[in-house]
Amino acid sequence: MGEEEIYLKAFKNDFSSFFFSGVDSYDVNVEEDLGEIQLIKIEKRKYWYQDDWYLKYITVKTPLGDYLEFPCYRWITDEKEIVLRDGRAKLPRDDKTQILKQHRRKELEDRQKMYRWKEWHPGFPLSIDAHSHSELPRDIQFDNEKGIDFILNYSKAMENLYINRFMHMFQSSWSDFADFEKIFVRISNTISEYVMQHWKEDFMFGYQFLNGCNPVLIRRCTEIPKKFPVTTAMVECSLERNLTLEEEVKQGNIFIVDYELLDGVDANKTDPCTIQYLAAPICLLYKNLENKILPIAIQLGQKPGPENPIFLPSDAMYDWLLAKIWVRSSDFHIHQTVTHLLRTHLVSEVFSIAMFRQLPAVHPLFKLLVPHMRFTIAINTKAREQLICECGLFDKANATGGGGHVQMVQKAMKDLTYSSLCFPEEIKAKGMDSQEDIPYYYYRDDGIKVWEAIKSFAEDVIHIYYESDEVVSEDVELQAFVKDIYVYGMRGVKASGFPKMIKTREKLAEYLTVVIFTTSAQHAAVNFGQYDWCSWIPNAPPTMRCPPPTEKGTVTIEQIVESLPDRGRSCWHLGAVWALSQFQDNELFLGMYPDEHFVEKPVKEAMAKFRKNLDEIVSTITERNKNKKLPYYYLSPDRIPNSVAV
């Protein structure tokens, strides 16, 4: 058969990349006839220094001039060997020979020993069994651990923002609102500056429920809750259509945001010098004749009564302003712990662990999903190590630190359902789907476009490998992946609505869209706007140092400033939202697949079509944002990283 040529392309990482790193290619000629190549084995001998190798791929040129690709994209460490299959994706039923079946089985057995489930807190989705980043399998660690050191990054952020000088005044209050500018002006941007100038205005307060960094809580109000006894007389001066409140509700012009989840959550007690407070407000909003969403009533606790008044825009200026500040603070807590941590980070880690445990590298769904799992387990492990652990960075500035955030995740698990992760379904369930009724909800509009593009791509890939629903049902590895997510991620809770198995191509397309959308678009929508919307502290206070007011007519500007975070906590908060809003140095965005796990032409064509669809969405969003004082760009595909990596 003549002689085969083998090319190896590897990222070479000698001496822990301290002395040398680079990309090398090697040619190996084989003179004897090897017959049909089923597997390639790479062995590495260990030298006296650490010489881990990152192997990208191997190409075999046959005597007939054909090329076979053997993708790897893994680290080879110590005295290890790696056995590779060629790059053509195969379902379990496609493997006919014993050697290939055995290779497939062994890969999963090895992975299941490395990727073990563990309960971090009772009631949480399960996470990876590792105490620290360095304990993780080498393949899923960050290239540079310093890049994700939260302590280092927050300190660096505070240095960049020139706010170190306030840290020695940790407990001291600011003098007035203008005083907050001392820590703000250094690197402002268009949106954060606009927020600073307009944060007191009702339109800005309402707008954030649609397009801020937590645009997921607002819902159409179908009935005024008994626990929130707002009457027409109270809000009459806010209504513009000469209708009663009940009639406005019927017409679909009233919206509600309820922070009930915070009721009973313990406030942070880690600092004996500063008592911190939480509230569980309810906020009623109204769509006026200009289609703007404006607040018309706020109750700061869940139980109505004389000590829990309903605040109104017609009240004294500072009464109304403080009520709105309490809502903004509560919104910040739900955003960080539920919208961001639980519903993107922890859920994405569940998807990642299940993928590594149940889908071998040759499976088409592994090849499809692996770019969307990049660094997720690593960032979450680092967060458990430094950020959300006991006495972690989260405790320094947040009223839900010291254990409150744990209680919140435990409570929020009941609402973590499969349908709530299906973007269009969740928008509809909240009564927020009509573009005609609610024209300025860009999170919804852009999100649905990106969801449809991802779904179309998933369908294209599915139809290449699954010629019928029966093939889906019979894919034992796919079913094991889905079951792992249900059993370990959702803790086997039937009410979560997560499927235990998938029987049709249509359902599989939706399921894969949920996974890819959550790990990419949803995380981008709720993460990268944090500096924009939360850097002006009065607009997103991470803690409040005075209890919510229990009567009207007593609030002063001094009281508000005393309630807001002190100088030290403000600085920690600012460092955090800045660091969390940064992209990774080598970020890969939606549609970018530099690692060629797939080799087949039809999939490459599906990828090209996906990129074209994404480019069209980018153009539409860019055009819409032109000349906007408040552009919305968090769901523009060129700003959506492939995975949860920050």
Side-chain angles (χ1 to χ4, degrees):
M1 213 180 128
E3 84 179 29
E4 269 91 351
E5 288 178 30
I6 300 178
Y7 310 93
L8 288 81
K9 190 148 195 181
F11 171 78
K12 186 176 177 187
N13 186 31
D14 290 349
F15 296 97
S16 294
S17 79
F18 185 71
F19 296 107
F20 175 87
S21 67
V23 177
D24 289 340
S25 296
Y26 303 94
D27 293 356
V28 180
N29 289 319
V30 182
E31 292 186 9
E32 64 270 28
D33 184 350
L34 298 178
E36 189 188 339
I37 298 174
Q38 300 206 33
L39 300 167
I40 285 183
K41 184 193 285 187
I42 305 289
E43 292 181 19
K44 189 181 82 64
R45 297 277 175 263
K46 188 177 180 182
Y47 293 100
W48 58 271
Y49 55 82
Q50 187 185 340
D51 61 338
D52 297 352
W53 279 65
Y54 184 77
L55 177 62
K56 288 186 174 178
Y57 55 81
I58 293 173
T59 304
V60 177
K61 183 184 177 189
T62 68
L64 298 172
D66 297 326
Y67 287 89
L68 294 176
E69 294 287 341
F70 289 77
C72 181
Y73 303 107
R74 284 158 63 192
W75 285 95
I76 310 178
T77 59
D78 303 327
E79 289 277 344
K80 291 280 168 63
E81 65 175 37
I82 287 185
V83 181
L84 302 176
R85 288 184 61 157
D86 79 76
R88 290 167 302 177
K90 302 284 184 193
L91 297 174
R93 70 184 217 142
D94 299 329
D95 285 347
K96 306 298 183 202
T97 66
Q98 206 52 42
I99 190 169
L100 293 179
K101 287 180 183 175
Q102 196 180 340
H103 175 260
R104 194 175 195 119
R105 194 166 54 243
K106 185 173 185 316
E107 183 183 1
L108 288 181
E109 282 168 6
D110 290 347
R111 289 236 216 101
Q112 283 162 17
K113 285 175 196 158
M114 288 164 72
Y115 297 85
R116 299 173 307 279
W117 295 103
K118 178 186 167 186
E119 182 179 74
W120 188 53
H121 280 296
F124 272 50
L126 295 194
S127 47
I128 197 78
D129 184 5
H131 295 290
S132 65
H133 179 266
S134 56
E135 283 181 23
L136 294 173
R138 183 71 178 89
D139 286 329
I140 59 165
Q141 289 181 24
F142 275 94
D143 304 333
N144 171 14
E145 201 184 334
K146 275 187 185 164
I148 49 134
D149 188 305
F150 287 107
I151 297 169
L152 205 67
N153 285 351
Y154 284 20
S155 306
K156 198 164 70 182
M158 287 190 278
E159 206 176 294
N160 290 348
L161 296 162
Y162 282 76
I163 51 180
N164 300 16
R165 63 190 190 281
F166 296 104
M167 289 307 288
H168 69 283
M169 301 184 271
F170 202 83
Q171 310 289 348
S172 67
S173 297
W174 301 94
S175 316
D176 51 33
F177 293 137
D179 209 11
F180 282 98
E181 286 189 52
K182 288 178 183 171
I183 63 164
F184 175 80
V185 168
R186 183 64 199 166
I187 64 153
S188 56
N189 65 23
T190 320
I191 292 179
S192 59
E193 209 160 277
Y194 197 84
V195 171
M196 181 184 76
Q197 289 158 0
H198 299 279
W199 71 281
K200 292 180 189 173
E201 297 165 36
D202 287 355
F203 98 87
M204 174 57 91
F205 179 88
Y207 179 86
Q208 291 179 72
F209 287 113
L210 299 176
N211 302 310
C213 62
N214 194 28
V216 302
L217 297 184
I218 190 167
R219 57 173 63 243
R220 203 184 287 268
C221 181
T222 51
E223 186 185 1
I224 304 292
K226 286 191 174 62
K227 64 180 181 177
F228 191 23
V230 185
T231 64
T232 301
M234 287 178 181
V235 296
E236 208 160 14
C237 59
S238 296
L239 307 179
E240 297 179 357
R241 294 177 176 86
N242 296 321
L243 301 171
T244 65
L245 180 59
E246 285 67 29
E247 287 166 340
E248 293 278 19
V249 167
K250 279 200 183 95
Q251 288 212 0
N253 298 322
I254 303 292
F255 300 84
I256 192 164
V257 181
D258 189 346
Y259 296 91
E260 186 182 12
L261 187 96
L262 282 161
D263 196 30
V265 170
D266 295 328
N268 192 340
K269 294 183 180 66
T270 57
D271 178 1
C273 302
T274 304
I275 301 174
Q276 300 178 57
Y277 296 91
L278 291 167
I282 313 171
C283 179
L284 210 61
L285 299 123
Y286 175 62
K287 185 185 72 168
N288 71 6
L289 291 170
E290 292 178 341
N291 284 322
K292 283 182 179 168
I293 303 280
L294 302 171
I296 57 169
I298 292 169
Q299 182 177 287
L300 295 179
Q302 292 287 310
K303 292 187 184 77
E307 293 202 336
N308 189 15
I310 294 174
F311 292 93
L312 307 164
S314 52
D315 289 341
M317 180 174 74
Y318 290 133
D319 280 9
W320 181 235
L321 183 60
L322 182 56
K324 288 192 292 180
I325 289 171
W326 267 105
V327 172
R328 293 295 313 136
S329 185
S330 303
D331 196 79
F332 174 79
H333 297 310
I334 298 279
H335 166 261
Q336 281 294 9
T337 302
V338 180
T339 309
H340 183 209
L341 173 65
L342 172 61
R343 297 180 70 90
T344 63
H345 277 260
L346 299 184
V347 168
S348 297
E349 183 174 2
V350 165
F351 296 151
S352 297
I353 299 169
M355 180 198 74
F356 281 115
R357 285 174 55 82
Q358 304 299 351
L359 299 175
V362 72
H363 198 292
L365 300 187
F366 178 89
K367 292 170 183 281
L368 176 69
L369 295 178
V370 72
H372 303 289
M373 307 302 167
R374 181 174 179 255
F375 299 147
T376 300
I377 299 173
I379 196 75
N380 285 5
T381 303
K382 201 72 182 175
R384 285 187 287 270
E385 226 181 312
Q386 294 183 328
L387 195 59
I388 52 175
C389 53
E390 210 174 322
C391 305
L393 291 177
F394 196 79
D395 291 357
K396 286 192 184 293
N398 291 287
T400 51
H405 61 301
V406 173
Q407 295 169 356
M408 287 171 72
V409 170
Q410 289 163 334
K411 289 172 84 170
M413 279 297 283
K414 73 177 189 314
D415 298 318
L416 180 58
T417 60
Y418 178 75
S419 65
S420 73
L421 295 178
C422 292
F423 189 85
E425 215 175 304
E426 175 67 348
I427 294 283
K428 197 170 184 182
K430 289 191 163 95
M432 300 295 291
D433 50 318
S434 169
Q435 223 170 330
E436 198 182 335
D437 277 0
I438 314 157
Y440 306 119
Y441 197 11
Y442 307 126
Y443 163 74
R444 170 203 60 205
D445 301 342
D446 299 352
I448 283 172
K449 287 188 186 87
V450 174
W451 171 275
E452 292 301 338
I454 292 171
K455 192 165 182 232
S456 171
F457 176 48
E459 284 167 347
D460 288 347
V461 174
I462 287 163
H463 281 86
I464 294 166
Y465 297 102
Y466 296 91
E467 63 263 30
S468 66
D469 291 344
E470 195 183 359
V471 180
V472 171
S473 288
E474 289 171 1
D475 183 349
V476 290
E477 289 166 352
L478 160 63
Q479 304 305 339
F481 167 66
V482 170
K483 190 178 175 187
D484 245 29
I485 290 168
Y486 172 72
V487 171
Y488 297 105
M490 298 309 118
R491 311 301 296 264
V493 176
K494 206 173 179 182
S496 72
F498 267 77
K500 293 180 200 174
M501 56 177 62
I502 289 179
K503 294 180 177 175
T504 67
R505 292 189 292 180
E506 189 186 350
K507 198 70 189 164
L508 178 56
E510 181 189 78
Y511 196 90
L512 294 173
T513 307
V514 164
V515 174
I516 296 170
F517 186 88
T518 303
T519 57
S520 58
Q522 189 59 31
H523 178 255
V526 303
N527 182 69
F528 293 104
Q530 292 189 72
Y531 185 80
D532 288 352
W533 295 100
C534 305
S535 56
W536 179 246
I537 309 280
N539 189 56
T543 188
M544 296 291 274
R545 297 178 299 145
C546 297
T550 54
E551 56 180 327
K552 294 190 184 191
T554 62
V555 179
T556 62
I557 178 80
E558 288 76 22
Q559 239 181 304
I560 294 180
V561 173
E562 276 302 310
S563 296
L564 289 168
D566 54 45
R567 292 168 188 256
R569 285 181 176 83
S570 298
C571 294
W572 271 110
H573 168 81
L574 198 60
V577 297
W578 187 81
L580 290 169
S581 302
Q582 306 306 305
F583 293 123
Q584 289 286 347
D585 290 343
N586 52 353
E587 198 68 83
L588 295 172
F589 295 95
L590 199 57
M592 287 168 63
Y593 300 112
D595 291 358
E596 294 191 49
H597 291 277
F598 281 111
V599 298
E600 296 94 326
K601 196 178 171 203
V603 190
K604 301 244 172 126
E605 286 166 356
M607 283 176 175
K609 178 183 148 193
F610 182 38
R611 276 191 290 273
K612 186 171 176 288
N613 287 345
L614 295 174
D615 288 343
E616 283 168 14
I617 297 170
V618 172
S619 301
T620 307
I621 293 172
T622 306
E623 190 56 39
R624 180 198 65 211
N625 284 336
K626 269 185 187 166
N627 307 319
K628 268 201 189 309
K629 286 175 185 163
L630 278 173
Y632 186 81
Y633 42 67
Y634 309 115
L635 281 167
S636 184
D638 57 343
R639 287 172 176 250
I640 299 176
N642 261 333
S643 63
V644 176
V646 68

